[in-house]
Amino acid sequence: MAQAVGTAHLETSTGLDNRKLLMWLFLGSECLFFGSLIAAYLLYRDRSVAGPYPSDLFDIPFTSVSAFVLLMSSVSMVLALAAIQRGNVRGMQIWLFTTATLGLLFLSGQAFEFTEFNHEGLSLSTNLFGTTFFVLTGFHGAHVTIGVLILLSLFTVSLQGRIQQKDSLNVELAGLYWHFVDIVWIVIFTLVYLIQP
Amino acid sequence: MATEWPQTRRTGLADALRGAREMADQHYGIWSWIAPVDHKRIGVMYGVTAFIFFLAGGIEALLLRTQLIVPNAGVLNHDQYNRILTMHGTTMVFLVIMPLSAAFFNLMTPLMIGARDVAFPRLNAFSYWVFLAGGIFLNASFFTKDIFSGELGAPDCGWTCYSTLSSKAFSPGHGVDFWALGVQILGIASLASGFNFIVTILNMRAPGMTLFRMPLFVWMTLVTSFLIIFAMPVIAVALFELIFDRLFNANFFNPDKGGNPLLWQHMFWLFGHPEVYILILPAMGIVSEILPTFSRKPLFGYPFVVFSGIAIGFMSWGVWVHHMYTTGLGTVANSAFGISTILIGVPTGVKVLNWMATMWGGSLSLKAPMMFAVGFVAMFTIGGLSGVTHSVVPSDYQQQDTYYVVAHFHYVLFGGAIFALFAGFYYWLPKFTGKLLDDRLGQIHFWLMLIGFNLTFFPMHISGLLGMPRRISTYSEGQGWDIWNMLSTIGAFTIATSILIFMINVIYSLRRGEAAGYDPWDGRTLEWTIPSPPPHYNFEKIPVVHARDPFWHEKYTEDEQGRPIPVVAGAANGHPDEAHEEHGGGHGIHMPSPSYFPLIAALGFPIMATGLIYDYALVAVGAAVLFVGIYGWALEPATEGEEA
């Protein structure tokens, strides 16, 4: 079996697992994706010719709480990985579920925020702020959604007893993705919400 | 995001199709084409598909040239001309040169590094299917209007699709929507193959195949793949912005709401200039393999060529404004990017000099692959030199948007990339068909193409300097452009004839071509140590590599003057792997199982894209198809019968 390609147990030239290397490259590529979105946001900051403007809408305490929720989900993700690496399937299940729940909580916060902004007259086509804000945070939200789906899939599969200590790489890869999405939110939260000219 | 589960579990559908999968395992039957995972098969599929698109793009070019043969010709109206022009450019870049390069990545990379397949065979199949889906989707735009009454629905914004030409106000049909979503889909295919080949090259090398023993083509594949994974997300965002503007009334490029159309140009060219090197670096890699083989000398200055390629990769990110000198960014920006553009000519020049030094003093064998490779060096150099003239800002002000620019990029992309890709066909096709292409027809093909190419594109330098703008559907007489346009059109049909000869050559050689054997060119690298066509597992025993050009060193040693002498009598034709039919013939080597899930997943994208344009319900259908594909993929075992 050592000769088979594309499996997790292959010896590689660099010693890095193929799938892990793939995930790191994917995240590198994602940096450019979010970098471009953030650049567009920053370029158009203060260029809206009509309101509502960010200062009219942002509720910093509320968004701080949801940012905190997302940050905490990274902690539970770490704990899930640590659990399965010790062979503690039960612990992993608990922490995976916690992470997914926190992710969902963040998403509902975002959904609430989007609806609120909409009520106050901001849509995708209102002004440049609406365009760049919804597209940037929307794409981030889509990434969190995919992350939640991955976590829930892992959780479901683990209920069938199909994730054991030797399969911890699956959890590790999901974790890498989850942490990345988290870090992106820290950048967005800082640049979009906290630092306002 | 599909994580791969090691356990064995199948869906009911998969069970039912198990027999078909086993058939595919035996490498026959239709299923081996629908559910391919073998890199060679996928490579052939890439090559054939891209060649068909090459013919489509070529026919589009002939239509354009026919319209321009004389002033005020009536072959195409303005609208048709714009749409066909857009499709010609988009097709040649995204559906021809990129996938033809991908075909060679697929065919050659595993063989050259001594691997049995790529790192992710199913992801590889996914790349191909997404590419095919994107290509068909893009071309389907032709039919969104009444094509039979001469109304073409294709995009009309040019392959750069500048804003605001691309806005709803100036391009009201669905053409630009198809363009943006089609290129987006094609980007997914490129990204997936970019990831795959980086992992393959870094992780799947045979023992002893250190990075600096890798063939140059593999190096260039690596650099290109890095450029792909970093450049594609940039165009993805630009395309999303365009899509949001057109479909959901966002304001990214809407000047009424303060949006800046120039943002599109920045993002397009921030992607677009690395893209130029995504197109040309694989070609440089191919030529760097062929020149040493047919000069019977190692590549001159191997590390310089490698590092030049890497340097080009890095510098390609810092030159994009030379596409935008006339947009008024100011003298500081223009000067800085002018300097960086002149500088990127240095590593390119280093490569050209190394290729010439490789040929210098070699015992040249001017077979068809070598002719095309030498043609590449010459034509690419001309294109490179006219490129340097663009880097000079005042000179570029004069050339901007004229046929001089058209001449330049055809010299690098046709005279460069396409010549090198044909060199690659003549060189490597025999490895996979088992039959040599006819050299006489190859020579005729080469000379006709060289003459036709120069006849088409050299006059464009002159018509451009005489002030003829690009992207015009006709012109009036008396401006001194007539003769040059006539020559260009005659040249275009000469090229078409040469392509016809190539096709005849391929068909002829498949039927009665001379058998290629293991090593028809006295090659230097690992792919020539195995049979033609290679068995599906490539190497009976994974080779152990002791030097750069490993196969050459097995065959030859050097005398005091540095001339190659065969290791032992007859060894030059002896093949270390030749004994291998006597062994088990590859039994017991586990290869990845065929899978149709990548195809299902890939189908999701065009369905979603169609839904975005016509009916949002279809988006949900497409997303469901994508999910079925991804979950099936994630849950099926990668290798038949794998347990652990």
Side-chain angles (χ1 to χ4, degrees):
Chain A
M1 267 325 297
Q3 303 286 15
V5 283
T7 70
H9 308 292
L10 183 76
E11 277 181 43
T12 65
S13 312
T14 58
L16 269 174
D17 182 89
N18 281 349
R19 290 194 293 155
K20 206 167 178 176
L21 185 55
L22 178 77
M23 181 52 88
W24 278 109
L25 292 168
F26 172 72
L27 296 182
S29 177
E30 286 274 78
C31 287
L32 271 286
F33 185 82
F34 279 107
S36 305
L37 285 170
I38 292 171
Y41 181 89
L42 293 180
L43 183 72
Y44 282 158
R45 189 150 73 171
D46 286 337
R47 298 275 182 87
S48 293
V49 290
Y53 301 102
S55 50
D56 307 335
L57 298 175
F58 283 162
D59 180 356
I60 300 294
F62 175 83
T63 317
S64 304
V65 172
S66 73
F68 179 75
V69 167
L70 196 60
L71 273 184
M72 285 305 105
S73 76
S74 260
V75 177
S76 57
M77 188 71 235
V78 169
L79 292 173
L81 178 61
I84 192 63
Q85 281 174 342
R86 288 195 312 269
N88 178 359
V89 176
R90 191 93 204 122
M92 175 200 65
Q93 286 166 346
I94 293 170
W95 289 119
L96 276 182
F97 192 76
T98 314
T99 313
T101 312
L102 289 172
L104 280 173
L105 207 59
F106 172 84
L107 285 172
S108 28
Q110 190 172 40
F112 173 76
E113 191 183 42
F114 277 22
T115 359
E116 271 303 289
F117 287 7
N118 222 320
H119 283 314
E120 293 181 44
L122 186 75
S123 74
L124 195 60
S125 47
T126 313
N127 55 19
L128 281 180
F129 169 58
T131 296
T132 51
F133 174 80
F134 282 124
V135 171
L136 170 59
T137 54
F139 270 112
H140 179 264
H143 277 75
V144 177
T145 311
I146 290 168
V148 169
L149 278 176
I150 294 172
L151 293 171
L152 290 179
S153 309
L154 278 174
F155 177 72
T156 315
V157 175
S158 77
L159 287 182
Q160 299 162 345
R162 287 160 58 201
I163 299 186
Q164 302 300 328
Q165 192 166 8
K166 62 181 164 48
D167 312 316
S168 68
L169 185 68
N170 291 318
V171 182
E172 194 175 346
L173 295 178
L176 278 175
Y177 175 78
W178 191 258
H179 297 315
F180 171 80
V181 172
D182 236 25
I183 292 167
V184 170
W185 183 253
I186 296 175
V187 176
I188 293 176
F189 183 58
T190 313
L191 289 178
V192 174
Y193 290 84
L194 295 183
I195 304 177
Q196 287 185 48
Chain B
M1 260 328 75
T3 45
E4 303 198 6
W5 304 99
Q7 280 86 358
T8 304
R9 179 171 179 265
R10 284 188 188 78
T11 60
L13 182 66
D15 264 336
L17 291 168
R18 191 134 183 228
R21 291 165 55 124
E22 273 157 16
M23 257 177 71
D25 248 355
Q26 308 295 317
H27 279 254
Y28 58 83
I30 185 147
W31 276 98
S32 66
W33 293 99
I34 294 174
V37 281
D38 179 7
H39 70 98
K40 299 179 289 297
R41 168 111 347 151
I42 293 172
V44 169
M45 289 163 80
Y46 256 115
V48 170
T49 313
F51 193 80
I52 292 169
F53 282 127
F54 179 62
L55 297 181
I59 290 167
E60 283 155 7
L62 291 180
L63 283 169
L64 301 175
R65 277 317 323 167
T66 311
Q67 163 67 17
L68 293 175
I69 187 167
V70 289
N72 301 313
V75 181
L76 301 171
N77 61 34
H78 302 312
D79 186 65
Q80 291 166 335
Y81 186 93
N82 283 346
R83 294 174 195 274
I84 291 176
L85 177 80
T86 304
M87 286 305 287
H88 166 71
T90 310
T91 301
M92 288 305 191
V93 169
F94 293 105
L95 300 179
V96 177
I97 301 184
M98 284 179 80
L100 279 181
S101 302
F104 283 112
F105 296 171
N106 265 290
L107 292 171
M108 301 319 302
T109 305
L111 298 186
M112 292 182 115
I113 61 174
R116 294 222 161 102
D117 207 322
V118 294
F120 301 98
R122 290 178 298 171
L123 186 65
N124 202 20
F126 175 75
S127 296
Y128 170 76
W129 292 121
V130 176
F131 151 65
L132 180 65
I136 293 173
F137 182 80
L138 194 61
N139 278 284
S141 63
F142 272 115
F143 303 96
T144 56
K145 284 188 186 168
D146 188 4
I147 193 170
F148 297 107
S149 59
E151 292 258 344
L152 304 181
D156 56 357
C157 50
W159 89 275
T160 52
C161 217
Y162 273 8
S163 184
T164 54
L165 288 177
S166 60
S167 69
K168 270 280 182 208
F170 298 104
S171 186
H174 285 308
V176 175
D177 302 331
F178 272 86
W179 184 86
L181 290 162
V183 175
Q184 192 75 287
I185 294 173
L186 294 168
I188 297 168
S190 302
L191 276 170
S193 80
F195 297 134
N196 209 343
F197 281 100
I198 296 175
V199 177
T200 303
I201 293 168
L202 292 181
N203 263 0
M204 310 279 288
R205 282 167 285 137
M209 180 60 84
T210 57
L211 287 176
F212 278 86
R213 285 179 187 163
M214 292 198 312
L216 232 290
F217 178 71
V218 178
W219 260 112
M220 290 307 109
T221 305
L222 183 65
V223 175
T224 307
S225 300
F226 270 107
L227 287 180
I228 286 174
I229 70 163
F230 291 130
M232 283 299 157
V234 179
I235 190 70
V237 169
L239 291 167
F240 273 130
E241 291 175 351
L242 177 58
I243 292 164
F244 274 87
D245 268 16
R246 287 184 60 93
L247 299 179
F248 310 116
N249 298 316
N251 304 312
F252 284 106
F253 310 119
N254 178 3
D256 290 343
K257 297 272 177 79
N260 188 348
L262 217 51
L263 175 64
W264 170 268
Q265 291 193 32
H266 278 292
M267 297 194 71
F268 185 85
W269 290 117
L270 183 56
F271 146 81
H273 211 85
E275 168 72 15
V276 169
Y277 291 98
I278 291 170
L279 299 172
I280 198 68
L281 286 176
M284 292 176 164
I286 292 171
V287 166
S288 303
E289 296 303 324
I290 292 173
L291 292 177
T293 302
F294 290 88
S295 308
R296 298 175 63 81
K297 274 178 67 190
L299 184 69
F300 185 87
Y302 171 97
F304 286 93
V305 183
V306 171
F307 279 112
S308 299
I310 298 172
I312 290 173
F314 275 105
M315 293 167 80
S316 68
W317 291 90
V319 295
W320 82 90
V321 167
H322 67 219
H323 298 273
M324 303 170 60
Y325 283 150
T326 56
T327 57
L329 296 176
T331 35
V332 176
N334 283 358
S335 313
F337 281 90
I339 291 166
S340 65
T341 305
I342 293 170
L343 282 179
I344 204 171
V346 174
T348 316
V350 167
K351 287 195 166 212
V352 172
L353 290 175
N354 278 293
W355 291 324
M356 299 205 300
T358 303
M359 290 183 272
W360 184 264
S363 44
L364 304 186
S365 150
L366 294 174
K367 297 261 178 58
M370 182 64 165
M371 296 301 279
F372 278 95
V374 177
F376 163 89
V377 176
M379 295 303 106
F380 177 78
T381 305
I382 297 176
L385 289 174
S386 65
V388 175
T389 67
H390 293 311
S391 71
V392 182
V393 181
S395 158
D396 184 77
Y397 278 3
Q398 183 66 25
Q399 297 149 5
Q400 170 87 17
D401 268 337
T402 68
Y403 261 86
Y404 189 86
V405 177
V406 180
H408 159 69
F409 66 69
H410 281 93
Y411 264 86
V412 285
L413 293 184
F414 193 122
I418 295 288
F419 267 74
L421 290 164
F422 274 113
F425 282 144
Y426 280 97
Y427 185 54
W428 278 320
L429 227 48
K431 176 54 51 189
F432 301 95
T433 60
K435 301 285 179 61
L436 286 174
L437 289 160
D438 185 82
D439 199 63
R440 268 253 300 266
L441 281 175
Q443 301 282 352
I444 298 171
H445 170 202
F446 168 75
W447 284 110
L448 258 186
M449 195 160 108
L450 186 78
I451 293 166
F453 166 77
N454 281 292
L455 198 56
T456 311
F457 296 107
F458 198 84
M460 290 186 186
H461 288 112
I462 300 164
S463 53
L465 289 177
L466 290 174
M468 180 169 172
R470 63 191 281 207
R471 294 177 169 167
I472 51 165
S473 62
T474 193
Y475 51 94
S476 50
E477 50 207 303
Q479 304 185 84
W481 305 341
D482 303 13
I483 179 69
W484 308 116
N485 277 288
M486 174 75 83
L487 288 177
S488 287
T489 304
I490 295 170
F493 281 92
T494 316
I495 295 174
T497 315
S498 75
I499 303 297
L500 217 58
I501 291 173
F502 171 73
M503 289 162 67
I504 292 168
N505 195 353
V506 172
I507 294 165
Y508 173 84
S509 78
L510 281 178
R511 295 201 168 180
R512 44 186 86 169
E514 201 185 319
Y518 283 66
D519 181 20
W521 314 117
D522 203 3
R524 314 178 71 86
T525 36
L526 290 176
E527 73 268 30
W528 306 113
T529 63
I530 55 175
S532 313
H536 67 279
Y537 47 83
N538 294 353
F539 297 93
E540 167 93 3
K541 249 181 75 191
I542 295 294
V544 178
V545 178
H546 300 288
R548 201 176 288 158
D549 292 338
F551 190 34
W552 182 264
H553 288 289
E554 265 171 47
K555 293 185 289 188
Y556 295 98
T557 181
E558 283 182 358
D559 65 10
E560 303 82 52
Q561 277 88 44
R563 285 178 305 222
I565 44 171
V567 173
V568 280
N573 298 315
H575 298 280
D577 229 25
E578 206 142 38
H580 96 56
E581 272 96 344
E582 294 161 22
H583 298 306
H587 290 298
I589 298 175
H590 275 264
M591 293 305 291
S593 306
S595 170
Y596 41 81
F597 287 116
L599 170 58
I600 296 175
L603 276 177
F605 292 111
I607 298 176
M608 280 195 285
T610 313
L612 277 174
I613 298 175
Y614 291 108
D615 185 355
Y616 293 155
L618 263 183
V619 178
V621 175
V625 172
L626 178 63
F627 273 98
V628 169
I630 288 179
Y631 273 90
W633 180 347
L635 294 172
E636 76 175 345
T639 308
E640 194 69 45
E642 184 187 349
E643 290 303 330

